[in-house]
Amino acid sequence: MPSPYRDDFRIKAYTFGEGEKTLCIVGSMRGDEMQQQYVASRMVAILKAAEEDGHIANNVSITVIPCVNPSSINIEKRFWALDGTDINRMFPGYDQGETTQRIAAGLFEFIKDFKFGIQLASYYLPGNFLPHVRMIHTGFEDIDDSRLFGFPYIAIRQPEPFDTVLLNYNWQIWETQAFSLYAGTTDVIDHEMADISIDAICRFMLKKGFTNSSIRSSISKGGNININVDVDDPTVITQDNLISIQAPHAGLFLLNCTPGQEVKKGDILARIMHPYEGVEISCIKAPCDGIIFFARNKSITFQNTLLFRIIIANSEQ
Amino acid sequence: MIQNVTSLEMPVDEEFRIVKNHMTRGKGKRICIVTGTHGDELEGQFVCYLIAKMVSENKQKLNGTVDIYPALNPLGIDTMQRGVPAFDIDMNRIFPGNSRGSMIEKVAHDIYTDLSGADLVVDIHSSNIFLREVPQVRISEMTASTLVPYAKMMGIDFIWIHQAATVLESTLAHSLNSTGTPCIVAELAVGGRISHSMCQRLVDGIQNIMYNMGIWSEQPDPSKIGESIVCEGADPVAFINAQTSGVFITDIHNDMNVSKGQSIGQIISPLTGKVLSEVTSPCDGFLFTIRAYPIVYEGSLLGRIYKDTTY
Ligand SMILES: [Zn+2]
């Protein structure tokens, strides 16, 4: 698509292997999804090598789309800059509609026939996650397959009205087995969390038989992050075994923990400081034993802002 | 009386507040005028001013309650941003909110709770900065029987009855209508500007509604309350989208009848001096939307036409 003044808008896809449309991996869709872009680009390199070495199974084709929205990334805007719309709120798209509806329609037409889809997704709030796979409960979701990523946790949530315009939801409606993979961070590349996510995708491809040998041998064991991407029986997390911590006050936010960290009840997770007087306004402590699932990564907080999600320890059987 | 609807702390020495002007006398019904959900839509500001002035200067004509909420998104209006700055969210996609959610979800919840139970809520929007609209009311099919009579009392030019979309379930109007508080959404001309005459006409229309509800004792001059075109039926609207990216140039205005094939404008290339695409009407009908902002991408909306010509 031509722009009025800039270079043409284009979405590039890399396909490896030949045959049935098997797996599609979609990278960044918003202009701040650097980690998603990085993970997708690494998958291109890995799959290229795998193809050259003959490691992709017969009648399997795997497509990676590293970036759906170069136009926004290049000007450091999160959404489509002219009208502020979010491509991930436009699915299944409309080819006679507005610009971002057309982009979504063009993309969806190309990716809707794959049997499996992985979207490298980001959260709408600023913060970092323990890498995990997330599914929307539509009735079409397959928890068994999501176990194959080997992440210790799978998150399932109930659909909301806005979900009907997301890629993941529409993929499922069109009978693609869709997974949203949260690779830890969003606007900053984190090598360790990226490696964990890449290993998880490679493990999934191997277990599903899309690749016929382990195409990545080194499974990195993170330094202070306690994640093992080789778990056969992960914990399914829902609203019931997650506890949310919100900011009791606004102020400067000093984070004292990282996602994946085990915490004991009473451990100090963060401090909120008075922005002028340098004294502590409130001290955020772990309300229970557990593992940090989500942590805000901005240096200020508003009142009521979600700061942490913690997986309650005793809910793990 | 100015009241806080909600109040929360911001990080550095600032309080976030939603305020309303609560004007009450007698035991009559309650009407709420709300606007400023989208920070780039400003016409509701002048409408609020005119109604607050009318009511506060003529309290003896009031029998009931008029609540005026000029800014549901004060951060956005103050900073010329459509959405809520810092939260990167459309304020009209998070209702009914959540009392235990984030700051903005709690704000939405407090607004929704404060409006619930009113006899009528009028939610005033403008178009965005991209499109110029005929003053209109948009009503989903489900709520048409309740709301069309109010829209006609308002004397608004155009009433667009559309099919419900799931994604719109998180708007303020849907949240209120689906829980028993009637809410009518008026869209005025264009974002970022205030058209005085259009605002005055909407004020006359709201005054007429208040008169019919028994809240206001004075009827506006009936000659000021116009007839509405009601746009309904299956697929009643044709959309004109840009065939190419470029600069859209037009000589015509909306609020006019067009015939099939009639020129609406051109998309031109400043670099080559060539016309990239001729824009023509796909059908006979009433052109009620036209693009106001010239830079377009392929797909940008250029106009909307109500296909029925029998009104
Ligand atoms: Zn609006």
Side-chain angles (χ1 to χ4, degrees):
Chain A
M1 180 180 71
S3 295
Y5 295 94
R6 294 171 62 180
D7 192 2
D8 292 352
F9 176 83
R10 48 188 173 252
I11 299 175
K12 244 180 214 166
Y14 294 79
T15 297
F16 306 97
E18 284 174 10
E20 196 174 28
K21 285 184 161 188
T22 309
L23 172 66
C24 181
I25 300 169
V26 176
S28 71
M29 201 175 289
R30 296 172 177 155
D32 62 344
E33 294 179 341
M34 300 301 155
Q35 177 84 340
Q36 290 64 29
Q37 172 105 37
Y38 175 65
V39 169
S41 68
R42 293 274 309 277
M43 289 311 303
V44 169
I46 290 166
L47 285 163
K48 188 163 182 253
E51 187 179 49
E52 283 165 6
D53 298 344
H55 287 326
I56 294 178
N58 286 333
N59 197 28
V60 164
S61 89
I62 301 170
T63 292
V64 183
I65 299 170
C67 179
V68 171
N69 191 358
S71 185
S72 293
I73 286 206
N74 287 339
I75 53 171
E76 300 197 351
K77 295 279 183 197
R78 196 162 170 227
F79 299 132
W80 188 254
L82 186 63
D83 59 9
T85 53
D86 183 357
I87 297 172
N88 201 27
R89 293 280 183 280
M90 292 293 163
F91 289 96
Y94 176 46
D95 64 2
Q96 298 299 308
E98 288 266 1
T99 310
T100 44
Q101 290 177 311
R102 291 182 185 213
I103 293 170
L107 177 68
F108 196 62
E109 180 59 32
F110 182 71
I111 66 178
K112 71 177 164 45
D113 298 326
F114 283 84
K115 283 173 75 180
F116 295 88
I118 299 173
Q119 184 188 1
L120 298 164
S122 73
Y123 198 46
Y124 74 100
L125 295 175
N128 296 337
F129 270 109
L130 193 164
H132 68 284
V133 167
R134 179 177 295 223
M135 310 187 85
I136 306 170
H137 178 69
T138 56
F140 299 101
E141 80 278 9
D142 187 335
I143 295 182
D144 285 342
D145 272 344
S146 68
R147 293 177 207 278
L148 303 180
F149 287 92
F151 283 126
Y153 300 100
I154 299 165
I156 307 245
R157 64 175 182 80
Q158 294 300 318
E160 315 234 13
F162 68 79
D163 285 332
T164 55
V165 291
L166 301 182
L167 172 59
N168 185 309
Y169 183 92
N170 282 283
W171 249 346
Q172 289 195 44
I173 299 297
W174 284 79
E175 296 178 344
T176 293
Q177 199 52 249
F179 309 95
S180 295
L181 193 151
Y182 287 77
T185 59
T186 301
D187 55 347
V188 173
I189 293 170
D190 180 306
H191 291 280
E192 211 173 328
M193 294 219 202
D195 283 347
I196 289 164
S197 305
I198 290 161
D199 286 340
I201 297 171
C202 291
R203 186 185 196 268
F204 176 80
M205 293 191 299
L206 179 64
K207 295 259 171 180
K208 289 301 291 184
F210 304 159
T211 53
N212 53 24
S213 76
S214 184
I215 56 174
R216 239 182 94 82
S217 51
S218 68
I219 291 200
S220 56
K221 291 281 188 338
N224 58 355
I225 301 178
N226 177 27
I227 307 165
N228 181 5
V229 193
D230 203 10
V231 177
D232 287 318
D233 191 19
T235 306
V236 175
I237 50 180
T238 62
Q239 291 306 326
D240 297 337
N241 46 9
L242 271 185
I243 200 161
S244 296
I245 304 175
Q246 290 171 276
H249 295 285
L252 301 180
F253 179 65
L254 274 59
L255 184 63
N256 202 35
C257 60
T258 51
Q261 189 178 324
E262 275 182 48
V263 293
K264 294 270 172 239
K265 182 177 178 177
D267 284 357
I268 295 172
L269 306 181
R271 291 190 163 85
I272 297 173
M273 306 290 289
H274 192 289
Y276 288 172
E277 297 167 15
V279 293
E280 186 178 294
I281 307 171
S282 67
C283 178
I284 311 295
K285 292 180 177 168
C288 61
D289 293 359
I291 289 167
I292 309 281
F293 184 57
F294 170 82
R296 181 175 173 84
N297 68 347
K298 287 236 171 165
S299 298
I300 57 168
T301 178
F302 296 79
Q303 193 176 10
N304 285 17
T305 291
L306 178 70
L307 301 178
F308 299 103
R309 288 217 156 104
I310 295 176
I311 304 163
I312 302 166
N314 58 17
S315 67
E316 292 181 69
Q317 299 305 326
Chain B
M1 185 174 34
I2 309 302
Q3 296 178 340
N4 271 2
V5 176
T6 190
S7 157
L8 285 133
E9 294 169 9
M10 305 255 302
V12 181
D13 194 27
E14 182 177 348
E15 199 183 343
F16 179 93
R17 270 189 226 114
I18 303 284
V19 294
K20 68 172 175 181
N21 186 354
H22 178 65
M23 295 176 286
T24 187
R25 178 177 172 272
K27 292 192 162 31
K29 291 182 171 172
R30 176 181 174 220
I31 189 170
C32 299
I33 314 297
V34 307
T35 193
T37 310
H38 294 133
D40 58 347
E41 303 176 1
L42 303 177
E43 281 160 323
Q45 300 307 312
F46 194 50
V47 174
C48 283
Y49 162 77
L50 291 172
I51 291 178
K53 181 172 155 71
M54 175 181 90
V55 176
S56 61
E57 291 177 357
N58 302 279
K59 262 288 184 62
Q60 74 285 355
K61 295 178 184 167
L62 179 64
N63 175 29
T65 300
V66 179
D67 281 329
I68 292 179
Y69 304 68
L72 299 193
N73 174 14
L75 298 178
I77 300 184
D78 260 25
T79 56
M80 221 178 86
Q81 295 180 60
R82 184 172 178 79
V84 185
F87 292 84
D88 236 346
I89 204 166
D90 183 330
M91 190 70 198
N92 212 20
R93 293 289 181 277
I94 49 167
F95 286 99
N98 178 355
S99 64
R100 289 170 27 186
S102 69
M103 174 172 126
I104 293 303
E105 289 170 310
K106 168 148 172 54
V107 167
H109 169 266
D110 291 348
I111 292 168
Y112 165 79
T113 309
D114 207 72
L115 293 169
S116 288
D119 295 289
L120 182 67
V121 176
V122 182
D123 183 10
I124 304 165
H125 290 249
S126 294
S127 176
N128 52 36
I129 63 165
F130 298 108
L131 302 171
R132 185 183 308 280
E133 298 282 1
V134 165
Q136 60 195 269
V137 163
R138 293 180 191 165
I139 294 173
S140 77
E141 280 170 342
M142 285 150 47
T143 51
S145 61
T146 315
L147 297 179
V148 170
Y150 286 116
K152 288 186 170 169
M153 275 179 223
M154 206 182 256
I156 197 130
D157 297 38
F158 192 69
I159 301 172
W160 183 1
I161 299 170
H162 61 82
Q163 291 179 337
T166 317
V167 65
L168 297 180
E169 283 175 12
S170 48
T171 62
L172 174 63
H174 180 93
S175 301
L176 289 168
N177 280 316
S178 60
T179 52
T181 301
C183 176
I184 190 164
V185 180
E187 296 258 355
L188 295 189
V190 67
R193 298 283 181 273
I194 291 176
S195 155
H196 295 211
S197 58
M198 230 169 248
C199 292
Q200 184 58 56
R201 281 174 52 210
L202 183 61
V203 170
D204 294 337
I206 291 172
Q207 188 190 342
N208 196 36
I209 290 177
M210 287 164 60
Y211 171 76
N212 279 285
M213 291 171 77
I215 298 173
W216 198 246
S217 62
E218 185 191 7
Q219 187 174 19
D221 179 355
S223 69
K224 289 181 176 172
I225 308 300
E227 287 281 318
S228 307
I229 297 170
V230 182
C231 165
E232 58 189 331
D235 194 23
V237 173
F239 293 74
I240 308 173
N241 296 84
Q243 301 284 332
T244 52
S245 300
V247 182
F248 176 63
I249 300 294
T250 182
D251 289 328
I252 66 170
H253 286 275
N254 58 345
D255 199 2
M256 64 181 279
N257 289 310
V258 292
S259 47
K260 184 172 178 175
Q262 182 176 338
S263 175
I264 305 287
Q266 296 174 320
I267 297 173
I268 56 165
S269 165
L271 183 64
T272 63
K274 295 232 159 63
V275 173
L276 300 173
S277 149
E278 292 281 354
V279 182
T280 57
S281 174
C283 59
D284 294 351
F286 175 63
L287 182 73
F288 64 95
T289 304
I290 192 148
R291 181 135 187 127
Y293 189 79
I295 304 300
V296 297
Y297 267 80
E298 187 181 319
S300 294
L301 188 63
L302 304 179
R304 279 188 284 233
I305 298 169
Y306 174 39
K307 291 190 250 180
D308 192 354
T309 51
T310 57
Y311 53 84

